Amino acid sequence: RKKIAIFYFQNETGDSTIDWLRYGLPWLCDADIEQDFYISHTNQQYFNYKVENAGYTQDDNLPLSVKKKISKTLNKNYFLEGSFKIIDDAYIIKTKLYRTDNGNLVNENRYVGSEIFTLTDKLVKQLKIDLEIPLQYLDAATDLPVSSITTDNKEALASYIKGSQKSKDNKYDAAFAFLSNAVENDKYFLQAQFAIAMLKMNFLQDASWKEDWGIILKTIDKLNDRTKFYYKMEYYFLIG
């Protein structure tokens, strides 16, 4: 299996109001890759504590040497970094894939387009090629558009990412407001439904979490097999 760590992307637009894409693009990549059992993957959301232990924050542009070291501690063979900017309403996303053992650049790519979901699909497809996953396997493997297994609503995605960041910072009321906006914009954004259900249950003592789970379970076939299994396991653990 190929093993990869994805770091937060750098916002090169100069516009802090779209900083959420720093976290959102890696999250979308992660959600897309989740369909593929050939790849063992994680993104900085799950190992940011290692960034902090190294003396940095999630807002910092980490030195390549630090990314290499963190990737090694995660037992990943590769790591991905990226950046984005916007010119004439088009997103320009640049990525660089490195080997963890020696820090050598494997490949760098540039993607241009108006839809972040489509760009993510292209990015992940190329990433699999750069990881030298056999084309015969790729041709046979399930690879649905990331928007079909998450959301196709950019406002919903932005609110979900912002809510996740607030929840991580223990700002639960602000997290609830963002996550509520996410599911209002897309009722069937199941990752957002899951996040708000767990927030209500664990921190807000809001019994309506059961309604969120009702939506998740009714439409769970939207999700990839990995996520579907994880959500069902969580639900049956909750209800005993």
Side-chain angles (χ1 to χ4, degrees), residues 92-193:
I92 300 174
I93 301 173
K94 295 180 180 179
T95 61
K96 292 182 179 180
L97 177 67
Y98 295 91
R99 288 178 59 97
T100 299
D101 57 357
N102 55 21
N104 285 350
L105 178 65
V106 176
N107 204 1
E108 56 182 310
N109 292 287
R110 182 175 182 268
Y111 309 91
V112 181
S114 59
E115 292 292 337
I116 58 172
F117 303 104
T118 303
L119 290 177
T120 300
D121 291 331
K122 293 178 179 178
L123 190 164
V124 171
K125 184 175 181 178
Q126 183 60 48
L127 176 62
K128 293 177 181 179
I129 294 171
D130 292 342
L131 289 171
E132 297 183 338
I133 296 176
L135 291 178
Q136 185 177 3
Y137 170 83
L138 293 179
D139 289 340
T142 298
D143 186 16
L144 300 176
V146 70
S147 61
S148 71
I149 56 174
T150 57
T151 181
D152 61 0
N153 186 302
K154 192 170 73 171
E155 177 63 29
L157 177 64
S159 292
Y160 168 71
I161 297 298
K162 292 174 183 178
S164 297
Q165 289 295 310
K166 292 296 183 182
S167 184
K168 184 176 67 66
D169 293 337
N170 301 322
K171 298 178 180 178
Y172 301 122
D173 289 337
F176 178 75
F178 280 120
L179 293 172
S180 295
N181 188 60
V183 297
E184 285 170 9
N185 277 279
D186 184 354
K187 179 180 179 181
Y188 300 110
F189 184 4
L190 299 190
Q191 290 87 348
Q193 290 284 5

